[in-house]
Amino acid sequence: MNDEIKESFEKTKIAGSIAAGALDEVSKIIKPGISTNKIDKICYEFINDNQAYSAPLYYRGFPKSCCTSTNHIVCHGIPSEKKILRDGDIVNVDVTAVKDGWHGDTSRTFKVGEVSIRAQKLVDTTYEAMMKAIKIVKDGVHLGDIGNLIQNHVEAQGFSVVQDFCGHGIGQAFHKEPNVLHYGEKGTGEKIKTGMIFTIEPMINAGNYETRVLNDGWTAVTKDKNLSAQFEHTIGVTKDGYEIFTKSKNIEKIL
Ligand code: MF3
Ligand code: CO
Ligand code: CO
């Protein structure tokens, strides 16, 4: 690995650890009765306390420091004082920290109180699909191999892969090439190379894959109002594998 790649990996890891740390803080306060605005506040403060800033805040007019996507919200849910978490909800919290110009982007889906067996299975399957895909990453793998693996894993459980949103290259920009689709055919698409940094962030629906965006211009929901879950890591490609930059330092058990 050349010095340029080494530096980009080190810097992304610092930003990624801050984003993961924010989610660790959020995990401590998730319970029925809290508002999604409370989650936003925790993220905002944690990121600021670490001398970083939140990439979503004011990004294309987005008003908050993280996205909070409950139940049938697929992604880009806007935190609000009015949205109170209830027992049985699932909520994805998506955080992107910027430190020293470099971005770290990660999300987890949390369970609020006791959730249904179906919701549990959806969350587990989504996490497994992301981790399975990460584990095949190395120099020379096709992007289509990643998408195909996620799609196969998810569809085997009777769930569907969202097609309207994808993973993305990341670095000194929040979103850059390539698009990382979470479905596709083996052996297709660009070959990934040592030094590339991108996210894998499958959004998985319990019902149909189709989504639509609400009138606020942000909140994406499932058309059929069934549940949707998501996890996201920012990773770097090496000759023989990968490095995850958004791992939790404190929490072993994500699910
Ligand atoms: N963090 C999201 C992603 O994974 C992007 C959120 S953009 C926002 O790419 F403006 F909605 F915050
Ligand atoms: Co992302
Ligand atoms: Co994200």
Side-chain angles (χ1 to χ4, degrees):
M1 263 201 311
N2 66 38
D3 285 350
E4 202 182 319
I5 295 176
K6 255 190 213 150
E7 189 193 342
S8 68
F9 277 26
E10 275 162 21
K11 294 212 157 141
T12 302
K13 195 171 180 172
I14 294 168
S17 307
I18 296 169
L23 290 179
D24 289 353
E25 291 305 308
V26 167
S27 73
K28 296 177 190 164
I29 59 118
I30 294 281
K31 59 168 189 254
I34 70 151
S35 72
T36 52
N37 215 38
K38 168 88 175 163
I39 296 173
D40 183 67
K41 204 161 171 252
I42 299 279
C43 291
Y44 176 82
E45 279 169 6
F46 186 85
I47 291 168
N48 274 281
D49 288 349
N50 282 277
Q51 291 77 47
Y53 72 89
S54 160
L57 188 58
Y58 310 134
Y59 175 77
R60 297 185 179 174
F62 192 80
K64 297 284 176 172
S65 294
C66 66
C67 300
T68 50
S69 303
T70 49
N71 300 330
H72 74 299
I73 301 179
V74 173
C75 62
H76 304 164
I78 304 172
S80 142
E81 204 59 64
K82 276 186 250 162
K83 178 68 201 174
I84 306 294
L85 297 181
R86 297 201 310 193
D87 190 43
D89 284 348
I90 57 173
V91 57
N92 175 276
V93 181
D94 192 335
V95 176
T96 309
V98 189
K99 178 81 172 174
D100 209 4
W102 291 81
H103 293 67
D105 187 6
T106 184
S107 84
R108 296 177 207 155
T109 297
F110 298 100
K111 294 167 288 183
V112 183
E114 283 288 309
V115 306
S116 69
I117 289 170
R118 186 163 173 75
Q120 178 77 55
K121 186 176 149 189
L122 178 67
V123 172
D124 290 353
T125 302
T126 305
Y127 184 71
E128 287 159 11
M130 176 187 69
M131 290 311 296
K132 245 183 143 172
I134 289 174
K135 284 176 183 151
I136 66 160
V137 166
K138 65 174 180 185
D139 188 284
V141 163
H142 287 271
L143 282 175
D145 300 349
I146 293 172
N148 183 256
L149 199 152
I150 293 170
Q151 184 174 18
N152 284 343
H153 184 75
V154 161
E155 290 181 354
Q157 301 299 322
F159 299 139
S160 66
V161 177
V162 168
Q163 300 191 2
D164 296 333
F165 302 94
C166 57
H168 49 92
I170 187 168
Q172 287 173 294
F174 190 177
H175 295 110
K176 54 184 259 189
E177 79 300 331
N179 284 336
V180 181
L181 305 186
H182 303 113
Y183 61 95
E185 302 299 327
K186 265 189 193 165
T188 66
E190 186 182 328
K191 272 189 190 170
I192 62 179
K193 288 197 186 67
T194 301
M196 281 177 74
I197 302 174
F198 58 85
T199 71
I200 298 182
E201 50 177 299
M203 282 141 275
I204 305 303
N205 294 353
N208 185 274
Y209 70 93
E210 289 179 304
T211 74
R212 66 186 186 90
V213 175
L214 299 185
N215 287 336
D216 62 16
W218 283 106
T219 312
V221 298
T222 56
K223 272 195 181 167
D224 64 10
K225 299 197 170 66
N226 273 304
L227 292 179
S228 187
Q230 181 180 24
F231 285 87
E232 174 175 27
H233 270 315
T234 297
I235 64 175
V237 182
T238 64
K239 189 173 158 294
D240 307 304
Y242 59 88
E243 212 177 307
I244 301 178
F245 299 124
T246 43
K247 251 194 195 146
S248 170
K249 272 182 281 203
N250 311 306
I251 298 178
E252 283 286 311
K253 201 175 160 296
I254 293 296
L255 292 176

